[in-house]
Amino acid sequence: MTTIPLSKEIFNQVIPIPTLQDLAANSSSSDQQSNNIENDIDYLLHWLSPFWPDNTMFVEPSARVKAAVRSCLRDEASQLDFVKLYGNSIKPKFFEELSPLLLDDRVSLIEAIDKIKFIKDYYSQYIKYLNLNKLPYDILTRNLNSLFHSILVENKKSKFINKLTNYLYEMLFGSERSLQGPVQNYIQVLLSIELVDELNSIIIGLSIKQIKDYILATCTKVWNKPLLEEINHWIKLDLFPSFNLVMRLSSFDFSEKYLYDLIKIAHDELVSLRIKEIFDLVVDYPNSYVALSELHQCLLFKLNSHNTGSNISNLSTVINSNINTSEIDSANSLISISNLSSILINNSASSQAYQRAKLVDTFIQLCHEELLHSGANTVDVITCYTSTIKSFLIIDPKGVLLDRVVRPIRRYLKTREDIIIKLVHGLLDQSENNDLLELAQELRKGKKKTIIADDFMDLTWVPDPIDALPDFKKSKVTDIIESLISIFDLKEIFINEFTQLFGQKLINLHDYDVKDITDHLDLLKLRFGENEFTTLDIMIKDIEQSKTTNEKINCDKEYLFHSTILSHLYWPSVCENISHNDNFKLPDAILNQFDSFDKDYAEVKKGRGLKLIPSLGLVKLKLLIRKTNLSFEVTPDKASVISLFDDKVDELTLANISNLLDMQPYVASKAIDYWVKQNVLKETSKDTYMVNE
């Protein structure tokens, strides 16, 4: 036995829906009805017939028909019964006659709307003379409009909404926008059959699409000039009039508050574009300063409850979720404007929170793709880090977003082995060739002193923003140098690197002028603390005392060298760099000078002696080669090697030089190579050299 599911169609076949034809049949066969009633029904049905317009002109009812109307529809109960029967009578014809017209591609939208107008006018003229009470009248009108709606909108095969969307686009925003006159008439027809939500939804979707296209066309990669005023101006003078044409007719409470909503949508679209560009914006700072400032303004764009209505306020939420603006003819993207306010109660806060979170996530993702990988240059990462701090403090001065985006960069920088050296050199180098010149300039600005007050005593205290991380502290990220230093657990590694770097500079000083180094040191003390550079203070003092000692010793005797006298306990960076390979025998002329200087020093500094470090220092030489005096300034190893080639020596081998100077062969070969390149020595045979006369 087969079970047939009960459907509306089967139910109607078993128990047909009553119509006016049934009323006519019943009236003619009932013995209980009077002749007058039968005649009234006949006159009424004859006047209403046919129930579907057959392109004939409407005929105004005669006095007899009007009397029949009053008789048959004398009370509201009768009118309600009549309305039900009348609706049942015209429904089949609607689907039979109107549906093919809307499914046919050859039928234009204008032809379809003209047909709708004709049908609507036809029934409106009949309804006008039925003298219905308000309730029956409303029911009949609503049922009639519902029939239109079921065919035009609910029918999945209907192409009416697609055609209407394309038509409105061309007339309001496209090439035909100069011919907007007839549009209002067609809109009025559609409003008369209650397609208000559909019209509103279409115009919203088209307006949003126009905003999207405009933002992409005019704002992409444009970061160096203000755009918000230009956007607002375009919406007010170009977009809003077309939007206004439809919304003014379809909304009972229309006002210019909708203009505010369109501007909010445009600002949100600009935010979406800038989120996609955020990594490039940061890298291009400060050229992107204007764009970053306007991004800050857009993120703070507040919805004013006094200026927005309950119908279309917060339209921006529907951009991505409800309206499919990528396809103009999408009939599935319709939105009920009347429901927007209930759906979007807290849209301002939620949209802003979403944008901020999306901005952070996108930037972090792009950082990993473009920067935080093994092939990245450490200086580039540091530069991006500083640009990130400055850029995100423009976007969010409270520093919450910045605190989130710098964390992965900080973790990555901590893994780079050369980060300390790069930072130290970058902080000290003021030349234009310094890729981290910005850090050097920042160091010279000094550190602003901040006073941290107890929250209970701070009258200006406000809670951290809701999207701040639990350990958020603004001070950690707003100071660039402090932020870089705080990447590492101990600042001593920076202090040690500074000490080693300055130690090398002090060793290479020729004139004992330590002013540049002391100026740097004063800046570092402001940043790291007054008592953190004790060792470096002693090293500088050694250089200053060396100058005094040299002057005192040289006042009586003119030595061939100026000495730098170091306190060996406080020059670990120098002592650590001296290996056994750096020790060699100096020429007797220099050693004799040193021994004499050492004796004089012992007289000045009672009980103290000096130890010569052969590998350190510089030697000024004058050589007579090919009857030409040549001047050189070289390291002691090179001076020692060339000193062996006097008038008494014709040739020396590499082994001879190493033995005579007690110098490692590698060190000796490097010194010889230098003099060969200077065209002072020449190689006569394998590892054998002579003066190039």
Side-chain angles (χ1 to χ4, degrees), residues 423-651:
L423 282 176
V424 168
H425 283 77
L427 285 167
L428 299 178
D429 186 1
Q430 298 183 65
S431 69
E432 293 296 329
N433 297 326
N434 180 16
D435 293 328
L436 299 178
L437 180 60
E438 189 175 359
L439 288 181
Q441 295 170 344
E442 191 73 23
L443 178 65
R444 279 145 191 82
K445 293 178 182 178
K447 181 180 179 183
K448 296 180 180 179
K449 295 183 178 180
T450 56
I451 300 175
I452 302 176
D454 194 310
D455 288 344
F456 297 105
M457 303 298 293
D458 185 5
L459 299 180
T460 63
W461 178 86
V462 292
D464 292 334
I466 193 171
D467 53 350
L469 294 175
D471 59 343
F472 165 71
K473 291 294 181 184
K474 181 180 177 182
S475 59
K476 289 196 304 184
V477 289
T478 54
D479 186 297
I480 294 176
I481 296 179
E482 188 69 28
S483 180
L484 284 165
I485 294 172
S486 66
I487 292 175
F488 305 91
D489 298 328
L490 299 174
K491 61 181 179 181
E492 282 75 13
I493 56 176
F494 279 95
I495 295 171
N496 292 337
E497 187 65 32
F498 281 120
T499 301
Q500 183 171 343
L501 177 62
F502 282 127
Q504 293 297 330
K505 288 189 174 185
L506 289 169
I507 285 293
N508 294 324
L509 287 178
H510 297 168
D511 53 5
Y512 305 104
D513 185 3
V514 296
K515 183 179 185 307
D516 182 63
I517 295 177
T518 55
D519 289 344
H520 281 93
L521 183 57
D522 290 340
L523 293 173
L524 293 174
K525 287 181 177 180
L526 288 175
R527 179 67 60 173
F528 290 89
E530 186 71 27
N531 300 321
E532 298 294 337
F533 292 92
T534 304
T535 298
L536 191 51
D537 286 332
I538 295 176
M539 294 167 73
I540 292 174
K541 187 177 180 181
D542 280 348
I543 302 300
E544 293 173 336
Q545 288 183 345
S546 295
K547 179 181 180 181
T548 303
T549 302
N550 270 273
E551 291 175 348
K552 183 177 290 188
I553 294 176
N554 281 302
C555 67
D556 298 327
K557 301 178 182 179
E558 188 65 32
Y559 287 99
L560 297 178
F561 60 86
H562 296 278
S563 63
T564 299
I565 303 169
L566 311 180
S567 303
H568 71 281
L569 293 177
Y570 294 95
W571 290 76
S573 60
V574 175
C575 297
E576 289 172 4
N577 288 333
I578 300 174
S579 66
H580 294 294
N581 295 339
D582 296 325
N583 291 320
F584 53 88
K585 182 180 178 182
L586 290 170
D588 290 340
I590 296 178
L591 289 176
N592 292 335
Q593 285 279 325
F594 172 72
D595 290 340
S596 178
F597 185 89
D598 186 25
K599 292 178 181 178
D600 290 339
Y601 178 78
E603 293 179 3
V604 174
K605 300 288 186 179
K606 301 297 183 180
R608 296 187 183 182
L610 298 176
K611 179 181 179 181
L612 187 63
I613 304 177
S615 60
L616 297 181
L618 289 173
V619 180
K620 292 182 179 180
L621 296 177
K622 284 186 180 181
L623 304 179
L624 180 61
I625 304 293
R626 297 177 295 277
K627 298 181 180 180
T628 303
N629 286 316
L630 301 178
S631 297
F632 296 93
E633 190 174 89
V634 296
T635 54
D637 58 324
K638 296 180 179 64
S640 298
V641 168
I642 200 63
S643 69
L644 298 177
F645 291 87
D646 54 23
D647 296 335
K648 301 176 182 179
V649 176
D650 293 330
E651 291 183 337

Side-chain angles (χ1 to χ4, degrees), residues 78-91:
S78 302
Q79 293 177 12
L80 290 172
D81 290 338
F82 169 80
V83 164
K84 179 180 179 181
L85 295 173
Y86 191 49
N88 292 341
S89 301
I90 64 179
K91 182 176 181 179

Side-chain angles (χ1 to χ4, degrees), residues 337-363:
I337 304 302
S338 59
N339 293 331
L340 275 178
S341 66
S342 60
I343 295 173
L344 310 172
I345 263 179
N346 294 317
N347 173 63
S348 177
S350 62
S351 175
Q352 189 184 70
Y354 170 80
Q355 290 172 335
R356 288 166 63 90
K358 184 67 174 176
L359 181 66
V360 169
D361 294 341
T362 301
F363 182 77

